[in-house]
Amino acid sequence: MTDRTAIIDVLKAQIEPFNKKGIAVTEATTFQGDLEWDSLTVMDFVAAIEDEFDIIITMNMQAEIETVGQLADAVAKLKG
């Protein structure tokens, strides 16, 4: 299992409590379009991810991240 795969698995687990629609989460899943998250949900989720991986995701990075796969790449980069 690659580090990226492990990150995706953790992200999926972190998404689960916020997945009110119960959709199947993939790397292509979008936070706004597919999961229909509002800004408060995004902030709660980002806080959970930051705690889980001990990283800081800047507002600029958040603005560019639209999918689970993009978030996994950002986490991998930040964990460097």
Side-chain angles (χ1 to χ4, degrees), residues 28-80:
T29 301
T30 61
F31 298 106
Q32 274 195 312
D34 296 325
L35 294 168
E36 296 180 2
W37 287 358
D38 59 21
S39 57
L40 184 59
T41 303
V42 169
M43 295 303 286
D44 288 344
F45 175 69
V46 167
I49 294 303
E50 289 176 332
D51 289 347
E52 178 74 31
F53 290 103
D54 195 27
I55 57 174
I56 300 293
I57 301 173
T58 65
M59 294 300 280
N60 287 344
M61 286 183 78
Q62 287 180 39
E64 296 174 8
I65 296 170
E66 295 178 6
T67 68
V68 173
Q70 288 172 334
L71 179 57
D73 292 339
V75 168
K77 183 177 170 185
L78 287 169
K79 287 182 64 66

